[in-house]
Amino acid sequence: MDEQPEPVILHLYCRVDVAVTDPAAVTGHAVADLRSAGIDWSTEEDDLDTATEELRRDLTASLGSVADITRLVDNIPGVEFRGGHCWAESGPVREAFPAR
């Protein structure tokens, strides 16, 4: 049997600027994702209604919760998504990414 070589682990850093043209659509999508997530709310600090209201009031948190970075390398042969971090911010552009 042919042995597969050990994969090469690379880091792909991205900053993506977006224009939100329909904030209600973004927050609605985030709320729908939250409702369908199957969270056991008895183990959480918040309840579903409180978490839903927080998303509706915070466009940045809503966008960050639905952005899907797993699709960045879709359809690139020989590349497999392993994990990452995605967040949304408003305000001025950062000069560099924060250390993890």
Side-chain angles (χ1 to χ4, degrees):
M1 210 183 278
D2 292 336
E3 278 192 42
Q4 294 293 322
E6 204 51 39
V8 177
I9 307 303
L10 303 174
H11 304 284
L12 179 64
Y13 297 96
C14 299
R15 187 187 93 220
V16 180
D17 297 322
V18 299
V20 177
T21 59
D22 189 347
V26 173
T27 58
H29 185 69
V31 166
D33 275 6
L34 179 66
R35 289 185 184 279
S36 67
I39 296 171
D40 179 1
W41 290 100
S42 67
T43 63
E44 300 294 323
E45 288 182 25
D46 288 340
D47 58 29
L48 177 59
D49 291 336
T50 303
T52 296
E53 280 308 308
E54 288 174 5
L55 282 177
R56 289 193 191 284
R57 286 192 310 262
D58 190 342
L59 177 61
T60 303
S62 290
L63 179 60
S65 74
V66 295
D68 185 1
I69 63 171
T70 65
R71 297 181 60 208
L72 284 174
V73 295
D74 274 2
N75 302 316
I76 301 175
V79 177
E80 172 187 329
F81 183 81
R82 292 177 48 98
H85 180 70
C86 184
W87 71 97
E89 295 180 350
S90 59
V93 174
R94 289 181 181 225
E95 289 299 316
F97 286 99
R100 285 201 349 120

